[in-house]
Structure formats: C-alpha cells, structure tokens
Amino acid sequence: ASPAFFPLLDLPAFHSYDRKPIGEEERETWGKKIDFLLSVIGFAVDLANVWRFPYLCYKNGGGAFLVPYLFFMVIAGMPLFYMELAVGQYNREGAAGVWKICPIFKGVGFTVILISLYVGFYYNVIISWALFYLFSSFSGELPWVHCNNTWNSPNCSDWADNNSVSDIYKATPAQEYFERAVLHIQDSHGIDDLGRPRWQLTSCLAVVIVLLYFSLWKGVKTSGKVVWITATMPYVVLTVLLLRGVTLPGAIDGIKAYLSVDFLRLCDAKVWIEAATQICFSLGVGFGVLIAFSSYNKFSNNCYRDAIITSSINSLTSFFSGFVVFSFLGYMSHKHNVALDKVARDGAGLVFVIYPEAIATLPGSSVWAVIFFIMLLTLGIDSAMGGMESVITGLIDEFKFLHKHRELFTLFIVVATFLISLFCVTNGGMYVFTLLDHFAAGTSILFGVLIEAIGIAWFYGVDRFSDDIEEMIGQRPGKYWRLCWKFVSPCFLLFMVVVSFATFNPPNYGSYMFPPWANMVGWCLAISSMTMVPLYAIYKLCTLPGKFCDRLAYAITPETEHHLIDNGEVRQFTLHHWLVV
C-alpha cells in the first residue's frame, strides 16, 4: 500500500481550534471520542454480520470470496465510509442539512432519511423476535426441542429420530417454533390476510421501542453511553460461543468448509456481485447514520483514522463471526449425519431456527440460549439506534424549531414507527416483513449513495472537499482517495444500481409468491424515497429567482459562495472544476 493510503500515525488527532459558523448555536458533541467510535461500530456491525457474511463466504468459494470482498472494500467501501464521516463532521449537520454544499442535491438527504425510517418499520421487529426468544429461554427445557407442543403440526420431525432432512414435507421443532409459535403464520393465508397484532410480539416490540426512546431522547449524550454495552457485548458473547463451539464434535469440519478455498469460483460473475452487494450494505453507507454521528464530532477530529479503524473492525467482525457460526453448523452436520449444505443457510433461518436448534442440544442449553439472544438484542439495538438517530438528526437540523422539542419529536418518531411495525407482528406479519425487507433499502439505497457520491465528488468538487478535510485534520487526502471519490466509487455504484435492476426477482416467502398488487406497493415504497432527488431539484430550480442560468448557478454553488455568483464567479461553470482531481 502506498504512503497515501495508510499514513495513520502521521495525522494529528486534534487541533487547537474548533470551527463554529457565525451566528450558529453551539452544537452538541460526543462526551468522549470512544462514544463516537462505539456508536459507529455498533451501527455498522449488525445482524447481517452474523447471518449473511459467513454464509456468502461458504457459498462463494470460502476463502476465495475474500478476494472480491476485500477488493470492493478498498475501492468503494472505505472511500464512501470516509466520505460520509468527513462531510458530516465538516458541515455539522444531518443528512439533509449537509447539502448546503450543493443545494440542488438536498433531495438525496431526504432520500436516505426516508430509507432509514422505512428500515425501522421492520428492523425493530427482528429485535422483538430476539426478545421473545430470550424470554422463552428462561425455562428448564427450551420450547423448540420436541414435537409434542400444542403448536406443532403432523409434519414435525426430530432430526435425531429421522434422517430424511431433505424431505420438504418435514419440519424440525425449531422451525415450527419460529413459524407457528412465534409468528403464527399458519393462521394466515397471505399478505391479504394479516389478522390482528399478536399481544406477545406486540409487547416485545413495545419494550424495544421504549429502550430506543430512552437511548435517544437526550441525543448523543445518552446514546453514547448505551453503546458501551450494546457495541461491546456482541464481541464478548461471540468469543464465548466460539470457545464453546470449537469443542463440539464436527466443529472443525464446519470451519474447514467455511475457509475452504475454491479460486475457480472467482470466474463466476455472481460471486463478485454478491461481494459488492455485501460491501454496500454491511458498512451502513447511505443511511445517513454516519453523517449524523460524525456531525456531533469536534471539528478537528481525525475522521480519516476513524474511517479506517471502524470499517476495518466491521469486516473483521464479519470474518470472525463466521468461525462461530460454522463451528456450530459443523456440529449440527455431524450430529445429524447430513451434509453441511443441508444445515447452512443465511437470514432469519440461521439465527432463529438452526442456531437455537444447535444450542438446544448442548448441556445447560437454557444458559447458552440466553447468552445467544442477548447478543442478538445488542447487535440489533445499536443498529436500530443509528437508523433512528439518522432520521431525528436529519429532520431536527433541517427544521430548526424542533431543536427545542427533541424529546417530544423523538417520542413522535418512535411511536409512529411502532404503529407501522404492528403490521409485522400480526399472523401474516412475516409477509409484510419480507416485502419491506425486499424493497425498503435495496436498489434505493444504492441509488442514494450514487447521487451522494456524484454530488460531493463532481458538483461540490473533490478539490474543494479535500480542502475541507485538510482544514479539519491538517492533511490533504492522498490521490488514491480523490480518484476513488471522483471515478472509481461512482462507477462501482452505477454498476451496482444497473445490476440491482437487471437481476431483480419478486419477493417470496418459502413457496408463497406475493400477489401483483403487493409488488406494486413494494415498488411504490422504493420509488417514494428515490423520487426525493428529482422532486427537490425541480422545486429548488423553480423557487430560486432570476433566469434559468442564475437559478442553476445558485442551486449548484455552496450557500457560503452565493455572494460570488453576482460577480460571475461560478466554479462549476469552468472546465477546470470538472477536470481537477
């Protein structure tokens, strides 16, 4: 790596000055630097690190999958992560407010705020499932061990007694517990037959909402303290689970399968696409959370070092969790004498079916179940806090009168989220959950980050953005970063948006296919956030005074430079602005 890429030790951590625009009230800052780092790590390291990355690694060539993953991390993941931290810290505002650097792009701020809000509608439901399982774990015998419960169907079959796991008509006790005892999906015929919210899951969801409110109501002063628990607990639990997992029979076979290297898989375009997709979503870029968190930093904070540290920790956590997951999957494969691919899966099926089933076979299973679901809770809570903070900070900074009513506004947001989430805790709630998960933050988040990168790197300008970073940390970004921001990352994102549209598949849950009207609702949800970009641009151009050229000049020029337009000094109207790197 070139010196421009990792000069971590050469950058000053703090400067003696702190910038504050004239006439602006003092902005709240993090109590300690570590509060910020833990908040960013806690947000970026979420359930997907445990239930998605290990499976992708196993499915796509094992260790060979790390090649495209690390490649995309270096050319796109880290540069975009760094960009969001820097733009938030310099402008000291949320996802919408930062676009005073190029007003015509403010719509992208509302895009990412909307996406974070939509994700909150269903992400909190996952946490409520984990809480439900946690309460269920405080029992002498875990309820997903046998088939003799009231919720079990005639299709229920213990793996230990029946090796015909491949039989599609058979279901394990753990699978039936999740689908029939927790979700009650057997009482629904589809998304058009939801039923009423179930009181057990509704109660768990209410507890989650209360936890979120009291973590966020006072701003980063309270959330910065909560993450000391929520961001560190998963690492303690993962380590404990790994120490237990590697002692189980078959664990080493599972880990070998996880790390097995098949470089021939690198010739498959799908492997590269899945690696690129995982990078886009695992770092949490594009949700406005990194911008919101960094806006509470001191102006002279070393955001470059923070970006390298936190993005690296995120990827290392994904890799580390793979050892934990596959040690238990190897154990399950050995115990039931079936191939590993019969038990390996990703998503909710891993953490709410396969893992609980593995834990149920251990001595002291209730204790291990409590430990595991506490980990899921902490993984989910700090990520949910990040998404909520993005919405709250973004809107409060945009509508200044809300500053004095943060507690009330936070209450309004969490209650509204709770009410929408009730659709996901009905008998057919899993169908609503699947629809939201498929459409809320798929193509739209890639589109949002693409427009964000173009707005900062091309319209605001890489040179000007680099000047801002130099003003903050005392050192200008190296040419590597500037090239990534201007050319590599936007091209990467454009490619991902095209691939996302080209490879789109309608959502399904098992054998259930969603009706056309449900897919239309999903697309309306996705498009509703993306249309914020053109709608706001049109609004801005229509409301500014003067001729079209004057309006365009004001719309693409930073608000602090509007006085220069009267003298005909518009940087964006010069060829040099578009060519400089």
Side-chain angles (χ1 to χ4, degrees):
S2 67
F5 191 70
F6 284 118
L8 300 183
L9 302 177
D10 298 334
L11 297 180
F14 299 97
H15 284 256
S16 59
Y17 60 84
D18 198 9
R19 173 178 168 274
K20 176 187 172 185
I22 297 172
E24 184 178 302
E25 62 182 38
E26 188 66 45
R27 187 174 182 80
E28 181 185 13
T29 56
W30 295 97
K32 296 177 182 177
K33 172 67 175 287
I34 190 67
D35 295 352
F36 164 69
L37 291 176
L38 287 175
S39 295
V40 173
I41 292 169
F43 166 69
V45 177
D46 68 351
L47 294 163
N49 293 71
V50 174
W51 79 20
R52 179 113 178 107
F53 177 84
Y55 179 76
L56 285 179
C57 207
Y58 162 74
K59 190 177 77 169
N60 293 301
F65 180 73
L66 296 176
V67 174
Y69 179 82
L70 292 175
F71 174 72
F72 289 129
M73 167 67 80
V74 170
I75 69 163
M78 281 185 174
L80 293 168
F81 200 90
Y82 180 16
M83 180 183 74
E84 288 206 350
L85 290 184
V87 75
Q89 182 174 307
Y90 185 83
N91 294 286
R92 313 295 293 277
E93 292 203 48
V98 296
W99 288 102
K100 58 191 177 186
I101 63 175
C102 191
I104 198 171
F105 283 99
K106 185 178 256 187
V108 76
F110 294 115
T111 293
V112 300
I113 289 171
L114 264 182
I115 291 171
S116 289
L117 186 63
Y118 293 161
V119 169
F121 294 157
Y122 68 91
Y123 194 85
N124 295 336
V125 176
I126 304 175
I127 309 172
S128 68
W129 293 342
L131 189 61
F132 186 97
Y133 268 83
L134 178 63
F135 290 145
S136 301
S137 300
F138 290 101
S139 58
E141 184 179 63
L142 295 175
W144 54 84
V145 174
H146 299 299
C147 289
N148 55 359
N149 303 287
T150 55
W151 58 78
N152 289 127
S153 72
N155 292 331
C156 185
S157 173
D158 291 332
W159 276 17
D161 303 324
N162 188 337
N163 288 333
S164 59
V165 185
S166 60
D167 188 347
I168 60 172
Y169 299 106
K170 295 296 182 183
T172 64
Q175 182 180 343
E176 290 211 337
Y177 180 76
F178 179 56
E179 294 188 342
R180 299 175 67 87
V182 179
L183 303 180
H184 277 261
I185 202 166
Q186 74 276 11
D187 297 325
S188 171
H189 300 297
I191 196 168
D192 48 1
D193 177 30
L194 297 180
R196 295 179 180 179
R198 302 200 59 80
W199 71 266
Q200 298 95 330
L201 285 180
T202 302
S203 302
C204 291
L205 184 62
V207 171
V208 172
I209 291 296
V210 170
L211 285 174
L212 285 174
Y213 176 70
F214 285 107
S215 298
L216 295 168
W217 69 323
K218 293 289 187 183
V220 296
K221 295 296 184 185
T222 51
S223 64
K225 298 298 178 283
V226 174
V227 292
W228 278 80
I229 298 172
T230 58
T232 56
M233 180 68 76
Y235 292 96
V236 175
V237 176
L238 279 171
T239 303
V240 171
L241 289 173
L242 178 63
L243 293 175
R244 181 67 184 98
V246 294
T247 64
L248 298 172
I252 301 304
D253 294 331
I255 292 174
K256 285 180 180 178
Y258 170 53
L259 295 177
S260 63
V261 179
D262 181 7
F263 284 110
L264 291 177
R265 295 302 306 276
L266 296 181
C267 299
D268 185 354
K270 188 178 180 182
V271 173
W272 291 79
I273 290 171
E274 292 198 336
T277 305
Q278 180 65 12
I279 284 294
C280 287
F281 294 111
S282 69
L283 289 178
V285 174
F287 290 92
V289 179
L290 302 178
I291 294 175
F293 280 164
S294 63
S295 72
Y296 295 109
N297 275 332
K298 293 180 179 178
F299 182 74
S300 53
N301 173 66
N302 193 336
C303 56
Y304 171 67
R305 183 170 55 194
D306 293 347
I308 297 295
I309 291 172
T310 51
S311 58
S312 299
I313 287 175
N314 175 69
S315 294
L316 288 172
T317 304
S318 296
F319 186 62
F320 176 65
S321 66
F323 290 93
V324 183
V325 169
F326 273 86
S327 63
F328 277 86
L329 292 180
Y331 164 64
M332 290 293 286
S333 173
H334 172 83
K335 183 174 180 62
H336 299 295
N337 194 28
V338 295
L340 189 66
D341 58 3
K342 297 293 185 186
V343 292
R345 66 172 81 174
D346 65 342
L350 174 66
V351 296
F352 292 112
V353 176
I354 301 299
Y355 226 92
E357 185 157 14
I359 288 172
T361 65
L362 303 177
S365 56
S366 294
V367 176
W368 290 109
V370 168
I371 291 172
F372 177 72
F373 289 112
I374 285 177
M375 180 189 74
L376 291 190
L377 273 175
T378 54
L379 278 173
I381 283 287
D382 45 20
S383 295
M385 283 167 53
M388 288 284 188
E389 188 61 61
S390 169
V391 176
I392 295 164
T393 296
L395 294 177
I396 282 180
D397 285 344
E398 184 59 24
F399 305 102
K400 302 296 184 183
F401 69 92
L402 293 173
H403 267 292
K404 297 179 181 178
H405 310 286
R406 179 184 169 107
E407 295 175 14
L408 196 59
F409 182 64
T410 301
L411 180 64
F412 170 76
I413 292 294
V414 298
V415 169
T417 302
F418 171 75
L419 294 176
I420 299 295
S421 298
L422 288 177
F423 286 102
C424 295
V425 294
T426 57
N427 294 335
M430 191 59 178
Y431 300 120
V432 180
F433 175 92
T434 304
L435 196 72
L436 287 171
D437 186 38
H438 199 82
F439 286 102
T443 304
S444 53
I445 197 73
L446 297 172
F447 172 80
V449 186
L450 170 63
I451 303 301
E452 183 182 283
I454 292 172
I456 293 174
W458 285 88
F459 283 81
Y460 183 58
V462 163
D463 56 335
R464 179 66 186 271
F465 186 50
S466 298
D467 291 341
D468 295 345
I469 294 174
E470 186 176 14
E471 185 183 346
M472 288 191 293
I473 68 176
Q475 184 163 326
R476 193 175 180 81
K479 185 165 285 187
Y480 171 81
W481 297 102
R482 302 199 301 273
L483 286 170
C484 281
W485 287 329
K486 186 144 189 174
F487 299 109
V488 182
S489 295
C491 289
F492 166 80
L493 289 165
L494 180 61
F495 168 75
M496 288 308 302
V497 169
V498 172
V499 167
S500 180
F501 277 110
T503 61
F504 172 78
N505 288 311
N508 66 285
Y509 182 73
S511 60
Y512 177 78
M513 301 302 295
F514 285 80
W517 69 263
N519 286 310
M520 288 297 295
V521 170
W523 273 115
C524 288
L525 190 76
I527 292 170
S528 67
S529 57
M530 291 190 280
T531 52
M532 290 292 106
V533 175
L535 288 179
Y536 188 87
I538 294 169
Y539 160 79
K540 196 68 181 175
L541 289 171
C542 291
T543 54
L544 287 169
K547 298 178 181 179
F548 179 78
C549 285
D550 295 330
R551 290 193 299 234
L552 182 61
Y554 279 110
I556 64 176
T557 301
E559 291 178 1
T560 55
E561 296 180 5
H562 278 186
H563 64 283
L564 300 175
I565 297 175
D566 299 330
N567 300 327
E569 299 177 31
V570 183
R571 286 188 299 114
Q572 288 84 350
F573 286 177
T574 63
L575 186 61
H576 176 265
H577 169 81
W578 299 99
L579 296 180
V580 69
V581 177

